[in-house]
Amino acid sequence: MGADILQKLQSLRKQRNAVILAHNYQPGLIQDIADFTGDSLGLSVQASKTMAEVIVFCGVRFMAETAAILSPQKTVLLPEPSAGCPMADMIDAGQLAELKSKHPDALVVCYVNSTAEVKALSDYCCTSSNAVELVRRLPANRQIIFVPDKNLGSYVSQQTGREMILWPGYCPTHARIMPADVQKALHEHPDAIVLAHPECRPEVRKMAHQQLSTGQMLKFAAKSPATEFIIATEEGILHTLKKNNPGKRFYTVSAHAVCPNMKKISLEKVVWSLEDMQHRVSVEEPVRTRARRALDRMLEVLPS
Ligand code: 13P
Ligand code: SF4
């Protein structure tokens, strides 16, 4: 890593009064230079309470949009404007409106991996770390529509015993993880504990010892007396898992568990974004205020 570019980054982040947030799936170098790393919920909390004037979001568009909705007075920058989430784009506002019209009495819960327009049409937003608790709190006599992730939805359904109307969206990166990958990894590391993200397909989740969000995986690995772990989620998280737990071993379940959009952010792009104050992400009214309501309800359900 060039010392010059790092120096430039340090002086720019000071000059702009910027905070750099990085998701756990970001390239290791980006996680290392960030002020905060975390899962979707943790980063939303940081975005909502930061005193900085500029938020550089090292992640994908829906995350930067979430920050812009929560902190409209700040400048939110996404270093690579094409970094999107294919799952978030699997449902649009028109499709959700149509689904709602078929179930007019249902409450709508959307995964944070969704567009601002979809959040604006939802009653609640959730992340993988608080979805179960949030759904548990919903009135038992109401139907629930859950969008867009059918895998997280089925996980929440299993955990809460609530039947939900699921949208058939999914994460293409997690969908690449197959039961045969888990089997192979367990054959190679028979004593390892398998941690799977709820975005994984049900057949894979069934083989896991624990089903956890990325933030929960970090906490679990730190506390667990086990020393070997097979990680069934995007490989970026192995960087921090290894860094935080030097005495333990972590194996990615599959070489294909890579999100190409998360890997579009580079150190150079972070520096350029601060230099040029690009690429700004904002959410216009009335969508922002409506989406904010669902996000505020998400932030009310924080893990203890
Ligand atoms: P979490 O970090 O909240 O578990 O989210 C996973 C994810 O897919 C983000 O895109
Ligand atoms: Fe979207 Fe999956 Fe990439 Fe997360 S890992 S940003 S859900 S495509």
Side-chain angles (χ1 to χ4, degrees):
M1 190 190 338
D4 286 0
I5 189 160
L6 271 184
Q7 226 164 34
K8 200 166 188 178
L9 177 69
Q10 301 306 20
S11 79
L12 275 168
R13 79 208 297 181
K14 223 189 220 166
Q15 187 190 326
R16 303 288 195 202
N17 186 14
V19 66
I20 300 177
L21 305 183
H23 187 264
N24 291 324
Y25 295 161
Q26 283 292 291
L29 176 57
I30 301 297
Q31 296 193 44
D32 288 342
I33 55 103
D35 296 294
F36 296 100
T37 58
D39 64 6
S40 307
L41 187 59
L43 294 179
S44 299
V45 172
Q46 290 299 340
S48 69
K49 67 175 197 195
T50 182
M51 301 298 281
E53 287 169 71
V54 175
I55 299 171
V56 182
F57 217 115
C58 300
V60 293
R61 180 163 293 271
F62 77 81
M63 297 179 172
E65 265 183 5
T66 299
I69 294 165
L70 292 170
S71 285
Q73 69 289 6
K74 319 261 174 203
T75 301
V76 179
L77 304 174
L78 182 62
E80 169 50 59
S82 73
C85 169
M87 170 159 64
D89 295 331
M90 285 180 190
I91 185 166
D92 63 25
Q95 291 168 311
L96 179 54
E98 198 184 327
L99 183 63
K100 281 175 67 162
S101 72
K102 288 185 190 146
H103 308 277
D105 296 327
L107 291 170
V108 180
V109 180
C110 73
Y111 190 21
V112 71
N113 298 38
S114 53
T115 63
E117 289 75 16
V118 163
K119 289 183 177 79
L121 287 181
S122 301
D123 298 298
Y124 297 86
C125 190
C126 68
T127 76
S128 53
S129 53
N130 70 359
V132 169
E133 183 52 33
L134 188 135
V135 167
R136 270 200 188 118
R137 295 183 189 188
L138 299 182
N141 60 348
R142 298 288 296 272
Q143 267 195 312
I144 301 169
I145 293 173
F146 190 94
V147 298
D149 187 5
K150 64 175 179 181
N151 292 321
L152 177 64
S154 77
Y155 165 72
V156 172
S157 228
Q158 278 165 1
Q159 299 293 313
T160 59
R162 294 289 299 259
E163 241 180 72
M164 301 196 294
I165 300 152
L166 302 181
W167 187 257
Y170 63 92
C171 163
T173 297
H174 286 85
R176 278 186 221 122
I177 303 171
M178 302 303 284
D181 295 317
V182 183
Q183 235 159 24
K184 185 167 174 279
L186 272 172
H187 184 72
E188 287 163 11
H189 312 287
D191 297 328
I193 303 273
V194 180
L195 308 183
H197 196 279
E199 284 178 22
C200 290
R201 49 179 81 233
E203 312 90 271
V204 167
R205 293 204 317 267
K206 235 190 338 209
M207 299 171 80
H209 297 96
Q210 297 285 332
Q211 300 173 61
L212 304 167
S213 75
T214 62
Q216 291 166 341
M217 283 184 190
L218 288 165
K219 282 188 195 151
F220 182 88
K223 275 196 188 158
S224 168
T227 55
E228 285 188 278
F229 302 85
I230 293 163
I231 305 299
T233 192
E234 211 279 346
E235 60 85 42
I237 194 176
L238 273 89
H239 176 78
T240 305
L241 281 168
K242 288 177 181 170
K243 196 161 109 179
N244 292 356
N245 304 282
K248 299 182 180 182
R249 289 198 196 155
F250 300 92
Y251 313 105
T252 182
V253 72
S254 157
H256 301 298
V258 180
C259 173
N261 282 284
M262 284 285 181
K263 304 306 192 227
K264 285 181 178 173
I265 311 289
S266 65
L267 184 57
E268 287 78 6
K269 288 180 189 174
V270 174
V271 170
W272 295 333
S273 76
L274 279 168
E275 229 165 27
D276 304 336
M277 292 299 278
Q278 295 243 42
H279 300 269
R280 293 183 191 225
V281 175
S282 58
V283 176
E284 299 311 314
E285 297 294 355
V287 170
R288 192 196 74 79
T289 302
R290 290 189 191 140
R292 169 93 202 218
R293 194 186 58 143
L295 281 170
D296 281 342
R297 289 172 170 175
M298 173 183 94
L299 294 176
E300 282 167 17
V301 187
L302 294 179
S304 46

